[in-house]
Amino acid sequence: MQISSINDVKIYNLSHGKSLPEWLSDRRKRQLQKKDVDLQRRIELIQDFEMPTLCTSIKVSRDGQFILATGTYKPRIRCYDTYQLSLKFERCLDSDVVAFDMLSDDYSKLVFLHCDRYVEFHSQHGQYYKTRIPKFGRDFSYHHPSCDLYFVGMSSEVYRLNLEQGRFLNSLQTDAVEINVCDFNSVHHLFAAGTSDGKVECWDPRVRNRVGILDCALSSFTDRTEVQSLPSISALKFNGSLTMGIGTSTGQVMLYDLRSSCPLLVKDHLYNLPITSLNFQNHMDLVLSSDSKIIKIWNKDTVSLFLNFRHFLIFLPCFLQTNGMIFTANEDTRMNTFYIPALGPAPRWCSFLDNLTEELEESPEITVYDDYKFVTRKDLENLGLSHLVGSTLLRAYMHGFFMDIRLYHKVKTMANPFAYEEYRKDKIHQKIEDSRARRVHVNKLPKVNKELALKLMEERNEDAEMASQTKKEKTMPSILGDDRFKRMFENPDYQVDEQSEEFRLLNPIVSKAGQKRKKKLRQLVVAKDIEEPEGQVSSEEESSDDDKSWLEEVRKQRRLLRQEDKHCRRQERKEIEGNAGFQPQFYQIKCGEEFRSFNEMAHKQKIQKASLEDRLKLEEQDGLSVADTAVGSKQITFTLKKSDKQMKQQQAEHEHNKERKKLRRSAGQLKSVRGKGWGERGHC
């Protein structure tokens, strides 16, 4: 049993206790129940009060003797006899149950609405009759005077099935697209249906005429509530002849007086989850509302919270009107049972709870499967028990195994026999450190973030000096003496990286902020009435200069970061090329573009930056000539102009060549003359 106290109201969880693994045999479970003291002390109010997988809904008969619950998988219904505190019968069904109800005071007449549009009737011996409705149903209600069943669901019609005649009657046509819930008033038998568009339509079953429409969607919008979508009606319950409670899909509960179209009050669950059930407890003027996370019990006049307790995925709780017992159907094999003495006494079939709860004290929460230890494959390798995988000593579960806790402690002691000695040394060292902490502290720098600690110490000393000069009694506490920031100077993971980009960009701002802070502290010492001398720079001008200086520093740091980034990229590129070998890079020319030389692009970009006049002069001086090639691109040729010295040398060489040519010509003429003379002389 688990005991908790909320708002000075005690809640006894009777279903809480040590559970046994499902893989154990029945014989092993009986042995443990005989030997284990914790299992013997566990309160099992009703034997086998659970489902194989989960429970979807739970109800108590009007005579209080039988508890019926539906669950899955397989779809089934279980009936428990409270006089015998045990399971009376269990019946399996063809499909999941959406809603069910007891038409009699006991379990002899049952009606089930299935998820496949079937309506099934059961008697004491079992299934009696089965029929089908035209559309999928979501809820139904029984009108006792006329023996009519009203079914609502994914349709605008309300289907009526008369059980006395055994046939369907004319349907009630509503203005809604879908209807979620419905209910009959037990006093004047007014039929109300909650629609998906946030309206409640009321009908008189005697004349089959609609009495009125109540728009609840606009009433759920209040100053404190945040509604993101159109709320629909998810719960509906009458209390007496004039009060009606409505729950919306956005988590609001509204109480209405049938004589007014405005709600008396609006209660928000603050979880933005649909309200699953509503109930009233008249002898204490309480409203019990629940969604899938929490059950809230509050006063219907003052909206003050009486009690609330959270649970895991509650489907449908069952409240007993005059007793303090609450049953919840939730996503678990167990159906939870809560006993709240403040709401009322225990039922007659478990009246011993009143005497038992007075003697019980609060006990700590017990973990699941205390006799077994969960280990992973890595733990088994460290313990040297990998060879036990597949044996009966290990039971596979999720990503690991369950093993006996005694075997685990024994093997761990053998694997590490000096574990206790190490634990003892650690405890002694911890006590010594605690005793040292009580001594007088010396200003000793920590191992981590020494510069930050030194800065904080200096600021602390300056603050103390300024406080003494300004006659202040108290100073702000330092971070070094705060236990919340203790690990920042002990754990190396919190070391400030001064080479990081964030630090280098923020450091100028932080340093300037520290300087401004020091100036403000110094100004507190100076008298306020002293005027600034002429020619002195005002504080506003200084602040503007400071802003400019740290802005320049930030820009400088950004430029350095960009250069370092480029350098790192170049180094990485060189390493990749060196490891993978040099490979030529290929570039793809897009459609509609012309190929241009890569070496020429840089030169053209420089020329484009110059003005038009400069570009024309350069083209004239260079003697550029543009011609089309066969490929389709442009080809540019140019000739370099020579200097004056080169021109003079070229002219001198040209004249020298002319003179040599003349000399050669003259020499050739002399030779021809001499040849002629020699011929004549020889001839003579």
Side-chain angles (χ1 to χ4, degrees):
M1 180 186 293
Q2 183 187 27
I3 306 172
S4 57
S5 179
I6 302 173
N7 292 341
D8 296 332
V9 179
K10 287 190 176 182
I11 304 172
Y12 296 89
N13 188 356
L14 305 179
S15 301
H16 185 84
K18 190 174 181 180
S19 60
L20 294 174
E22 296 179 359
W23 62 77
L24 293 180
S25 61
D26 294 338
R27 182 180 178 184
R28 178 61 178 165
K29 289 181 180 179
R30 288 193 297 269
Q31 291 177 357
L32 288 175
Q33 289 176 358
K34 292 179 181 179
K35 297 179 181 179
D36 199 334
V37 180
D38 295 333
L39 291 175
Q40 292 176 0
R41 291 179 178 177
R42 184 184 62 176
I43 297 176
E44 192 173 4
L45 194 63
I46 300 175
Q47 189 178 3
D48 298 330
F49 196 63
E50 58 186 14
M51 284 287 177
T53 306
L54 57 92
C55 180
T56 57
S57 58
I58 184 171
K59 286 187 177 182
V60 180
S61 61
R62 285 193 287 271
D63 57 3
Q65 183 179 353
F66 302 99
I67 301 174
L68 284 90
T70 59
T72 189
Y73 173 83
K74 299 176 181 180
R76 68 189 68 210
I77 178 173
R78 287 185 173 182
C79 179
Y80 297 91
D81 191 350
T82 56
Y83 289 171
Q84 302 296 329
L85 298 178
S86 62
L87 179 66
K88 186 174 183 63
F89 66 84
E90 178 184 8
R91 297 172 187 172
C92 290
L93 306 172
D94 296 335
S95 58
D96 292 334
V97 177
V98 177
F100 79 99
D101 196 4
M102 291 165 280
L103 304 183
S104 60
D105 294 339
D106 54 4
Y107 69 94
S108 59
K109 293 180 182 180
L110 303 176
V111 181
F112 299 94
L113 177 61
H114 293 280
C115 62
D116 55 357
R117 297 193 287 128
Y118 274 102
V119 179
E120 192 171 347
F121 298 88
H122 282 227
S123 60
Q124 289 182 344
H125 66 273
Q127 183 181 352
Y128 179 77
Y129 184 72
K130 192 173 184 180
T131 185
R132 205 171 190 184
I133 57 177
K135 297 290 184 178
F136 291 97
R138 293 179 178 174
D139 195 10
F140 70 92
S141 185
Y142 182 60
H143 186 224
H144 289 274
S146 62
C147 299
D148 289 341
L149 278 174
Y150 285 67
F151 295 94
V152 297
M154 299 178 64
S155 175
S156 60
E157 297 180 354
V158 179
Y159 304 110
R160 298 191 303 156
L161 177 61
N162 187 272
L163 301 184
E164 184 179 5
Q165 301 177 16
R167 64 185 182 91
F168 281 97
L169 304 178
N170 293 331
S171 303
L172 303 180
Q173 183 64 41
T174 64
D175 296 337
V177 180
E178 297 176 356
I179 305 175
N180 296 329
V181 291
C182 63
D183 190 24
F184 271 102
N185 192 299
S186 59
V187 180
H188 47 70
H189 303 289
L190 182 69
F191 176 74
T195 63
S196 59
D197 54 357
K199 295 181 180 179
V200 177
E201 297 192 9
C202 298
W203 295 75
D204 189 352
R206 297 172 296 179
V207 295
R208 294 188 294 108
N209 291 330
R210 184 169 55 197
V211 178
I213 299 177
L214 182 63
D215 193 353
C216 304
L218 297 176
S219 301
S220 61
F221 291 91
T222 58
D223 297 336
R224 298 181 180 180
T225 58
E226 295 181 0
V227 181
Q228 300 178 355
S229 61
L230 181 65
S232 59
I233 308 301
S234 59
L236 181 64
K237 187 70 175 179
F238 280 104
N239 180 34
S241 58
L242 297 177
T243 306
M244 179 176 62
I246 294 172
T248 63
S249 59
T250 54
Q252 289 84 30
V253 180
M254 295 172 285
L255 296 184
Y256 280 90
D257 192 317
L258 294 181
R259 296 167 294 183
S260 174
S261 60
C262 297
L264 299 175
L265 55 90
V266 179
K267 175 71 175 178
D268 195 351
H269 271 219
L270 302 176
Y271 280 98
N272 201 19
L273 295 173
I275 304 298
T276 56
S277 66
L278 281 173
N279 210 329
F280 296 89
Q281 198 159 17
N282 296 321
H283 69 279
M284 294 184 66
D285 293 334
L286 296 177
V287 181
L288 298 89
S289 58
S290 68
D291 54 27
S292 59
K293 274 191 176 181
I294 195 169
I295 298 175
K296 289 194 175 186
I297 306 173
W298 43 280
N299 192 288
K300 67 178 182 180
D301 296 328
T302 61
V303 203
S304 60
L305 188 64
F306 177 76
L307 178 65
N308 64 342
F309 54 96
R310 296 185 60 183
H311 202 61
F312 176 70
L313 198 56
I314 304 170
F315 286 133
L316 187 64
C318 177
F319 307 105
L320 300 182
Q321 288 286 345
T322 58
N323 300 320
M325 193 77 71
I326 298 176
F327 300 102
T328 60
N330 47 282
E331 193 174 5
D332 194 6
T333 56
R334 289 186 177 183
M335 293 177 282
N336 290 327
T337 305
F338 298 95
Y339 175 52
I340 306 174
L343 294 179
R348 185 174 56 181
W349 51 271
C350 58
S351 57
F352 56 89
L353 285 176
D354 292 331
N355 298 328
L356 184 62
T357 53
E358 293 177 358
E359 300 174 359
L360 289 176
E361 297 179 355
E362 294 186 3
S363 58
E365 187 176 355
I366 304 172
T367 57
V368 182
Y369 307 152
D370 284 343
D371 295 335
Y372 294 87
K373 174 69 176 177
F374 181 79
V375 292
T376 60
R377 286 188 178 271
K378 189 175 181 180
D379 297 336
L380 293 176
E381 292 176 0
N382 296 334
L383 296 174
L385 298 178
S386 300
H387 61 282
L388 295 180
V389 177
S391 64
T392 56
L393 297 176
L394 296 177
R395 174 67 64 173
Y397 183 74
M398 294 178 66
H399 62 282
F401 305 90
F402 273 114
M403 65 182 301
D404 195 283
I405 191 68
R406 295 170 296 178
L407 176 63
Y408 174 78
H409 288 311
K410 189 174 182 180
V411 174
K412 191 174 182 181
T413 305
M414 295 174 63
N416 190 6
F418 302 102
Y420 177 73
E421 294 294 332
E422 294 176 358
Y423 172 77
R424 185 170 174 271
K425 289 180 181 179
D426 292 340
K427 282 293 183 183
I428 293 172
H429 181 70
Q430 185 178 359
K431 288 184 178 180
I432 292 173
E433 291 295 333
D434 294 341
S435 62
R436 287 176 179 174
R438 299 172 185 172
R439 300 174 185 173
V440 179
H441 293 281
V442 183
N443 290 333
K444 186 178 179 181
L445 294 177
K447 297 180 181 179
V448 183
N449 292 326
K450 293 182 179 180
E451 296 181 359
L452 179 60
L454 181 61
K455 179 181 177 182
L456 293 173
M457 289 179 182
E458 291 176 356
E459 291 181 355
R460 178 67 175 173
N461 295 332
E462 291 179 1
D463 292 343
E465 292 177 1
M466 293 297 177
S468 61
Q469 293 179 6
T470 55
K471 297 181 180 180
K472 287 186 177 181
E473 298 180 356
K474 294 183 180 180
T475 58
M476 296 298 292
S478 177
I479 297 177
L480 296 173
D482 198 339
D483 294 337
R484 295 176 296 176
F485 305 97
K486 187 178 181 182
R487 290 190 178 181
M488 191 171 68
F489 302 99
E490 294 179 355
N491 194 347
D493 296 337
Y494 294 99
Q495 178 66 40
V496 177
D497 187 8
E498 297 183 358
Q499 300 300 325
S500 62
E501 180 179 356
E502 292 81 3
F503 181 82
R504 293 175 64 178
L505 292 176
L506 290 174
N507 190 31
I509 303 173
V510 175
S511 61
K512 292 297 178 182
Q515 293 177 5
K516 289 182 180 180
R517 181 172 171 273
K518 291 178 182 178
K519 289 180 182 179
K520 289 181 180 180
L521 290 174
R522 290 168 186 168
Q523 289 175 1
L524 293 175
V525 184
V526 183
K528 297 181 180 179
D529 298 334
I530 298 177
E531 296 181 356
E532 294 181 354
E534 296 181 358
Q536 186 178 358
V537 183
S538 63
S539 60
E540 295 180 357
E541 294 177 357
E542 289 180 357
S543 62
S544 62
D545 294 339
D546 293 339
D547 295 339
K548 292 179 181 178
S549 62
W550 73 257
L551 280 172
E552 292 177 358
E553 185 68 23
V554 170
R555 291 170 182 170
K556 182 180 178 182
Q557 292 294 333
R558 285 180 178 173
R559 288 195 295 268
L560 292 174
L561 288 171
R562 290 173 185 171
Q563 293 176 2
E564 291 176 1
D565 191 13
K566 290 181 180 178
H567 181 69
C568 293
R569 289 179 181 176
R570 290 174 186 171
Q571 293 294 334
E572 291 178 357
R573 197 178 302 157
K574 289 180 181 180
E575 291 179 359
I576 293 171
E577 291 178 356
N579 296 331
F582 177 76
Q583 295 180 358
Q585 296 182 356
F586 297 93
Y587 296 89
Q588 183 179 3
I589 300 175
K590 297 181 180 180
C591 181
E593 293 185 359
E594 297 180 356
F595 174 74
R596 296 178 180 178
S597 175
F598 300 108
N599 297 328
E600 192 181 357
M601 294 298 295
H603 180 67
K604 284 189 175 182
Q605 288 178 358
K606 291 181 181 179
I607 294 175
Q608 287 177 358
K609 292 181 180 179
S611 62
L612 179 61
E613 183 181 1
D614 296 338
R615 289 203 299 266
L616 293 174
K617 288 180 180 180
L618 288 173
E619 290 179 358
E620 291 176 359
Q621 293 175 2
D622 296 340
L624 297 174
S625 62
V626 182
D628 295 334
T629 61
V631 184
S633 62
K634 299 290 185 180
Q635 183 176 359
I636 302 174
T637 58
F638 60 92
T639 56
L640 297 175
K641 291 185 177 181
K642 298 180 180 180
S643 61
D644 296 339
K645 187 177 181 180
Q646 290 177 350
M647 293 292 290
K648 289 179 181 180
Q649 289 179 359
Q650 188 176 2
Q651 289 178 1
E653 289 178 358
H654 185 64
E655 291 176 357
H656 179 69
N657 291 332
K658 283 183 178 181
E659 290 178 358
R660 288 183 65 183
K661 287 180 181 180
K662 289 179 180 181
L663 290 173
R664 287 176 183 174
R665 289 175 184 173
S666 62
Q669 291 176 0
L670 289 174
K671 286 182 181 180
S672 62
V673 171
R674 288 176 183 176
K676 291 180 180 179
W678 290 341
E680 292 177 355
R681 188 179 294 176
H683 182 68
C684 294

